[in-house]
Amino acid sequence: PGRYYCKFGFTSVHATFLSPASVACRAPAYRFGHVIVEVSSNNVDWSNSKQKFLYGQTLSLSSLVPSTGRVFGGTRVQVYGSNYLPSEPVSCKFGANVSPGTVVGTNLVTCVSPGVTSGGRVSLELAQNGVDFSTSGMAFLYRDLFIDEFYPGAGPMAGGTQVQIRGSGFLNLLSLRCRFDMTVVVATWVSDQEIWCTSPPGVEAEVDLEVSNNNIDFTTQGSKFEYQVNTTIIKLVPSTGSTHGSTFVTITGTNFVNSTALRCRFGLVTTSVTEFRTPTELVCASAPASTGTVSVEVSNNNRDFTASGVSFVYVEPPTVHALLPSSGPTGGNTIVTAVGDKFINTSDLSCRFGEGASPAVWVSVSLITCRSRFSRAGLTSLEVSNNGQDFTTSDVQFLYYEDAQITVIEPSSGPAYSGGTVVLVTGRGFRNTGGLACRFGGLIVP
């Protein structure tokens, strides 16, 4: 075939013969607007089809929202720029993949990202004729993200739990988000393997926890976060303890959860739970501290603690220096005065003779009285506790001896009023001590 020509308006250019039904022409430079395109085989006699060709302004892209999406595609991207023609179709090219877009206005086009085989950064350009794509250099990042683990896995319904999420693919973007059920919250980026999110308020239930780099495409792993009923503390027994710590405190409250994350906190010091009894009762050992009052709180997840403000008082441990008397019969009921220091007037003030404890009567910070218990003969230590649990280790000895018993008295009579009769008392259990005495009726004599 001979040479062919195309004419754009009044400007002719050479054409390339492709087939009896088509030729290819390269449009010459021209101002914005429509022109008539005709074809000729001799550059003299032109067709009269009056087909129009539109010279549009160069497409300019300024920003992408979002600028990242999933590897398998489907992300709806808003492409902001200028010179978009609402009357013309638009093509979006992600790297080498071209897909149709939608012109929303002269400054906005939406594109849906196609799937790719692997993550990475590609250019995103637009064309409104399917051929002449923009050259703005806009980059779109394909990146998948995953949750491997998160802690804690539960939190109170009030929200506010700081959740640490570990995984992969996290991007340091303003659009980084977490979603608890249907509520989306801002995430804090730590690294590409770690982010933190604060749980919003929720209802008692397990909900999906998902993450997103672009606030559009969230993971679909179905990771579960549990909202738990808020925990409270009602009372402590005992409510005082030694500064040495290790006081076993029974805590009564509500909604305790038996888990490895269950913790107590004395002031600022967190301790493990010694015993979980019921959802309303547990036992914790106090931490060492200086004298004073601290609040005791409980957490079901080792992160969100109650704010009940129930007080625990740290006191210096008492000491025992001496006992008056320091001995008594095995039958018990001897009133013993313990001389010492730092005795506190509490309902739990106790004495312990060997293994058995009994209530004590407070006299002063240095004096209390105790009633001895029944025991076998021999020495035993008497210890004191201000809270019925933390006893002294002073090791002051109290001697139990066999009860004295009288079998015969000789003589068995003597003159009235004047007295003076020397009476020989025979029996058992007598002890040669400075306190040895006889009692005639209500009269005591050495």
Side-chain angles (χ1 to χ4, degrees), residues 165-214:
I165 302 173
R166 296 190 62 81
S168 61
F170 303 135
L171 297 174
N172 188 12
L173 299 174
L174 294 176
S175 57
L176 186 62
R177 296 290 188 272
C178 293
R179 188 175 66 195
F180 293 78
D181 195 18
M182 300 304 295
T183 303
V184 177
V185 297
V186 175
T188 300
W189 185 86
V190 178
S191 72
D192 62 352
Q193 296 179 332
E194 180 180 344
I195 61 174
W196 287 72
C197 290
T198 302
S199 67
V203 297
E204 184 183 10
E206 277 192 343
V207 300
D208 289 337
L209 171 56
E210 307 293 354
V211 295
S212 171
N213 279 324
N214 60 16

Side-chain angles (χ1 to χ4, degrees), residues 78-423:
Q78 294 178 314
V79 185
Y80 292 91
S82 58
N83 302 328
Y84 303 152
L85 299 175
S87 60
E88 298 295 319
V90 66
S91 298
C92 307
K93 184 166 71 172
F94 291 78
N97 298 310
V98 178
S99 59
T102 301
V103 180
V104 179
T106 58
N107 297 312
L108 177 61
V109 166
T110 61
C111 302
V112 177
S113 64
V116 294
T117 56
S118 61
R121 197 176 300 274
V122 300
S123 64
L124 173 54
E125 304 294 350
L126 301 181
Q128 292 210 267
N129 62 3
V131 177
D132 300 311
F133 283 88
S134 59
T135 56
S136 298
M138 291 280 94
F140 182 82
L141 177 62
Y142 281 98
R143 175 72 69 89
D144 282 339
L145 69 168
F146 300 94
I147 297 174
D148 292 334
E149 60 181 358
F150 59 89
Y151 182 86
M157 297 191 310
T161 302
Q162 297 294 313
V163 182
Q164 179 189 32
I165 302 173
R166 296 190 62 81
S168 61
F170 303 135
L171 297 174
N172 188 12
L173 299 174
L174 294 176
S175 57
L176 186 62
R177 296 290 188 272
C178 293
R179 188 175 66 195
F180 293 78
D181 195 18
M182 300 304 295
T183 303
V184 177
V185 297
V186 175
T188 300
W189 185 86
V190 178
S191 72
D192 62 352
Q193 296 179 332
E194 180 180 344
I195 61 174
W196 287 72
C197 290
T198 302
S199 67
V203 297
E204 184 183 10
E206 277 192 343
V207 300
D208 289 337
L209 171 56
E210 307 293 354
V211 295
S212 171
N213 279 324
N214 60 16
N215 196 20
I216 295 175
D217 306 313
F218 284 85
T219 56
T220 57
Q221 295 177 245
S223 303
K224 297 298 183 182
F225 180 85
E226 182 182 3
Y227 279 102
Q228 298 171 339
V229 178
N230 298 336
T231 305
T232 60
I233 294 178
I234 299 172
K235 69 175 181 178
L236 312 176
V237 177
S239 58
T240 63
S242 167
T243 54
H244 295 166
S246 297
T247 300
F248 290 103
V249 181
T250 299
I251 302 175
T252 302
T254 61
N255 304 314
F256 302 144
V257 177
N258 188 16
S259 72
T260 56
L262 185 62
R263 294 291 189 276
C264 295
R265 188 173 67 192
F266 290 78
L268 299 176
V269 181
T270 300
T271 65
S272 297
V273 173
T274 304
E275 180 186 0
F276 177 88
R277 292 177 177 171
T278 68
T280 60
E281 186 174 283
L282 52 83
V283 178
C284 287
S286 65
S290 56
T291 57
T293 300
V294 300
S295 64
V296 175
E297 308 295 350
V298 171
S299 171
N300 284 325
N301 63 6
N302 196 19
R303 188 152 290 169
D304 303 299
F305 284 83
T306 56
S308 301
V310 179
S311 296
F312 182 82
V313 181
Y314 279 100
V315 296
E316 293 185 8
T319 57
V320 179
H321 302 316
L323 306 177
L324 299 173
S326 60
S327 61
T330 56
N333 287 320
T334 302
I335 303 299
V336 181
T337 298
V339 181
D341 193 20
K342 300 182 178 64
F343 301 143
I344 299 176
N345 188 12
T346 69
S347 59
D348 296 318
L349 185 64
S350 305
C351 291
R352 186 174 67 191
F353 291 82
E355 298 298 325
S358 57
V361 177
W362 186 84
V363 179
S364 70
V365 293
S366 58
L367 292 176
I368 61 172
T369 60
C370 309
R371 188 180 296 273
S372 66
R373 298 165 58 89
F374 173 84
S375 179
R376 292 177 297 180
L379 287 169
T380 187
S381 61
L382 186 148
E383 307 295 352
V384 175
S385 171
N386 284 323
N387 62 8
Q389 184 183 132
D390 302 315
F391 284 86
T392 58
T393 55
S394 302
D395 199 29
V396 176
Q397 300 293 302
F398 181 83
L399 176 63
Y400 278 101
Y401 54 79
E402 296 287 349
D403 291 346
Q405 294 184 1
I406 299 174
T407 56
V408 178
I409 56 174
E410 295 181 274
S412 61
S413 63
Y417 302 110
S418 60
T421 304
V422 177
V423 180

